[in-house]
Amino acid sequence: MSEPLFRAEPYARETEAEIVEASPGRLVLDVALFYPRGGGQPGDRGEVVGAGGGVAITDTVYDVDRKTILLVPAEGAALPSPGSRVTARLDWPTRYARMRAHTALHLLSVALPFPVTGGSVGEAEGRLDFDSGETAFERAEIEAELTRLVATDAAVTTRWITDAELEANPGLVKTMKVKPPMGSGRVRLVEIAGLDLQPCGGTHVAKLSEIGRIEVTGIEKKGKQNRRVRIKLSEDI
Ligand SMILES: [Zn+2]
């Protein structure tokens, strides 16, 4: 199976596609433009426009087989017929805000080098939970470090590596904060040049300057060992 469009071209906003399946609550296309909910990142929204008009897409999820991507149409909408050609279009401002926030969370994990126990990506905001023990977090210090990292304007790139290549390069695993899942044959790595390398399946911006200013909006205690750190991005870049 070829790589989904949301991974191969995260800046693609629309595409021509064919309807593979259409039934109440489920729309399947032959091109994967919409990101399905996963890894803390919400499913894409947008619209699918066919000869008979447009259908609003309110969410995107994986089917129970964990492979088929389901676009969730607005309730009661008239759906295009299987086999028909459509234009699929993302709610781009929302997707782009999530790409910026998702990439900013990678930087947060660089600024705070502790094991990450959870996280969530929102629109131009997000949070990570850290297993940081008794370490005290200083909001101003974290913000200053995030500002410094964004100012490097490092490139964000992705590459695939096979399990065998990974095993042959133990140094690679050492540079990664999250141990990649083995067994599926290959792993997708996201690299922020000189700063970060980790397995990730989400959507990211291409350069750190696209993130803009990051504000730390909250540091909460989550149990004895955990701290939750919330960030928010400025609207203008
Ligand atoms: Zn990521």
Side-chain angles (χ1 to χ4, degrees):
M1 204 178 117
S2 64
E3 186 161 30
L5 190 58
F6 62 81
R7 288 221 178 97
E9 293 177 42
Y11 286 84
R13 303 178 188 205
E14 70 171 58
T15 183
E16 300 302 305
E18 188 179 310
I19 301 291
V20 175
E21 187 197 326
S23 52
R26 303 165 54 101
L27 208 50
V28 179
L29 307 186
D30 67 343
V31 183
L33 172 69
F34 286 64
Y35 179 83
R37 190 195 304 165
Q41 186 173 329
D44 276 334
R45 302 195 295 247
E47 61 175 349
V48 168
V49 184
V55 179
I57 303 301
T58 58
D59 198 359
T60 305
V61 295
Y62 278 112
D63 202 355
V64 283
D65 65 5
R66 296 296 302 156
K67 283 193 193 110
T68 309
I69 294 170
L70 300 179
L71 278 57
V72 181
E75 222 169 298
L79 303 180
S81 315
S84 65
R85 301 292 299 175
V86 294
T87 299
R89 193 174 293 134
L90 286 180
D91 170 350
W92 177 251
T94 299
R95 155 69 93 75
Y96 188 56
R98 289 171 180 168
M99 283 162 59
R100 291 169 60 217
H102 185 134
T103 313
L105 290 178
H106 280 247
L107 293 185
L108 185 61
S109 78
V110 174
L112 296 170
F114 300 97
V116 173
T117 57
S120 168
V121 177
E123 274 100 78
E125 59 168 29
R127 61 172 165 79
L128 285 182
D129 296 339
F130 296 93
D131 181 357
S132 53
E134 294 301 311
T135 314
F137 285 174
E138 284 293 334
R139 180 184 299 210
E141 269 176 41
I142 301 169
E143 270 185 10
E145 179 61 2
L146 291 172
T147 301
R148 188 188 73 77
L149 293 169
V150 169
T152 66
D153 199 18
V156 183
T157 55
T158 62
R159 60 191 147 111
W160 289 88
I161 186 165
T162 63
D163 287 0
E165 282 173 296
L166 202 58
E167 271 165 38
N169 294 281
L172 210 50
V173 178
K174 223 184 290 173
T175 61
M176 282 185 250
K177 284 185 299 296
V178 183
K179 206 166 188 286
M182 303 276 283
S184 65
R186 60 181 204 151
V187 173
R188 182 189 193 235
L189 299 180
V190 173
E191 180 162 34
I192 303 178
L195 297 176
D196 188 43
L197 180 67
Q198 55 181 290
C200 186
T203 57
H204 311 81
V205 292
K207 288 162 65 205
L208 294 187
S209 56
E210 293 181 54
I211 297 172
R213 208 181 105 66
I214 307 172
E215 194 187 336
V216 174
T217 52
I219 300 171
E220 300 153 37
K221 217 171 166 171
K222 284 289 191 195
K224 199 167 157 37
Q225 293 288 313
N226 278 269
R227 294 291 180 282
R228 172 167 292 179
V229 180
R230 296 179 188 275
I231 58 166
K232 192 176 186 315
L233 312 187
S234 315
E235 285 311 310
D236 2 289
I237 307 171

